[in-house]
Amino acid sequence: ETGVTQTPRHLVMGMTNKKSLKCEQHLGHNAMYWYKQSAKKPLELMFVYSLEERVENNSVPSRFSPECPNSSHLFLHLHTLQPEDSALYLCASSQGTTPTDTQYFGPGTRLTVL
Amino acid sequence: LAKTTQPISMDSYEGQEVNITCSHNNIATNDYITWYQQFPSQGPRFIIQGYKTKVTNEVASLFIPADRKSSTLSLPRVSLSDTAVYYCLVGLNTGGFKTIFGAGTRLFVKA
């Protein structure tokens, strides 16, 4: 499935680095999401964008900075991360944000912070 | 928000039918029930969604009793490739801003 793509698929970075994760959806959806999934933990919703406006930030540390330049692209800028930020970062999109709007997920970026 | 309860894990053998039940005692009148499947190191994938009675698609069936306080995901004739985590989401937990994935049910299918 190539509806939602994420790059890179794997990323190793030091705590002082700055990097960005990219997500692109080819489904014509209006909402995009960032999730974090740590080892053996449930998915945690980080950010939600609807029509390029950020509508939800679940108390995510400021070292994570999202950007949504248009409805097809979503970025997650990373800086001065901690080892506990190592996780699988998943991007998703949906047509809208109602309970019946199915979310389509990308393959994720496996991030390791040294 | 409707809280959901699922078994932590289940084991099955190839070719068997697997039923995973989710309890959601405080489901609201307008709440939908949605199931996702997640393979290791991949994002979740939508399986099925329903409101009441029974819903069937090419992958699974969803049974919802009249009181809607629980639902059962039924996977017919599972194969090894159905080994995954299955999540039940209810109501506001399925919609954009408030999407909450619980721990899910880890299904192991054995040969």
Side-chain angles (χ1 to χ4, degrees):
Chain A
E1 297 182 11
T2 58
V4 180
T5 58
Q6 291 186 243
T7 54
R9 294 295 308 279
H10 300 272
L11 177 63
V12 179
M13 60 186 289
M15 289 190 285
T16 58
N17 291 157
K18 290 184 179 181
K19 296 286 184 182
S20 295
L21 309 184
K22 179 182 176 182
C23 175
E24 184 173 0
Q25 60 98 358
H26 311 274
L27 302 169
H29 289 167
N30 294 315
M32 297 188 77
Y33 312 74
W34 279 117
Y35 287 86
K36 173 185 178 183
Q37 188 171 34
S38 303
K40 298 184 179 180
K41 289 186 178 180
L43 281 80
E44 302 171 50
L45 179 61
M46 301 175 72
F47 300 103
V48 180
Y49 277 82
S50 178
L51 296 172
E52 301 156 46
E53 295 284 330
R54 189 163 77 187
V55 293
E56 183 77 4
N57 174 354
N58 290 325
S59 302
V60 177
S62 60
R63 57 186 183 269
F64 295 93
S65 175
E67 178 190 1
C68 188
N70 55 62
S71 61
S72 298
H73 294 87
L74 185 65
F75 294 89
L76 187 62
H77 303 299
L78 317 170
H79 62 98
T80 59
L81 294 192
Q82 304 298 312
E84 59 264 30
D85 296 321
S86 298
L88 180 67
Y89 288 85
L90 291 158
C91 173
S93 72
S94 62
Q95 182 60 50
T97 52
T98 71
T100 57
D101 285 307
T102 302
Q103 294 187 29
Y104 293 81
F105 286 80
T109 295
R110 173 70 61 186
L111 173 66
T112 302
V113 181
L114 301 176
Chain B
L1 300 177
K3 175 179 167 58
T4 60
T5 303
Q6 303 175 234
I8 295 175
S9 65
M10 295 179 68
D11 289 343
S12 182
Y13 288 93
E14 283 189 293
Q16 288 187 332
E17 178 184 76
V18 172
N19 296 309
I20 305 174
T21 297
C22 178
S23 297
H24 28 80
N25 291 322
N26 59 339
I27 188 170
T29 303
N30 296 327
D31 287 347
Y32 279 77
I33 301 158
T34 307
W35 286 81
Y36 283 84
Q37 173 193 56
Q38 185 179 25
F39 298 114
S41 298
Q42 294 186 27
R45 183 179 72 165
F46 171 85
I47 301 177
I48 198 165
Q49 183 181 74
Y51 181 77
K52 62 180 180 180
T53 62
K54 177 184 175 182
V55 179
T56 297
N57 61 25
E58 65 278 6
V59 177
S61 295
L62 179 60
F63 298 92
I64 306 169
D67 65 6
R68 305 200 327 121
K69 292 185 183 300
S70 67
S71 59
T72 298
L73 174 72
S74 181
L75 305 172
R77 298 179 299 281
V78 295
S79 64
L80 295 176
S81 62
D82 292 315
T83 293
V85 179
Y86 293 82
Y87 299 96
C88 166
L89 284 72
V90 176
L92 289 177
N93 292 351
T94 68
F97 315 142
K98 301 295 183 184
T99 306
I100 300 176
F101 284 79
T105 297
R106 190 171 297 273
L107 173 66
F108 293 97
V109 180
K110 305 173 186 177

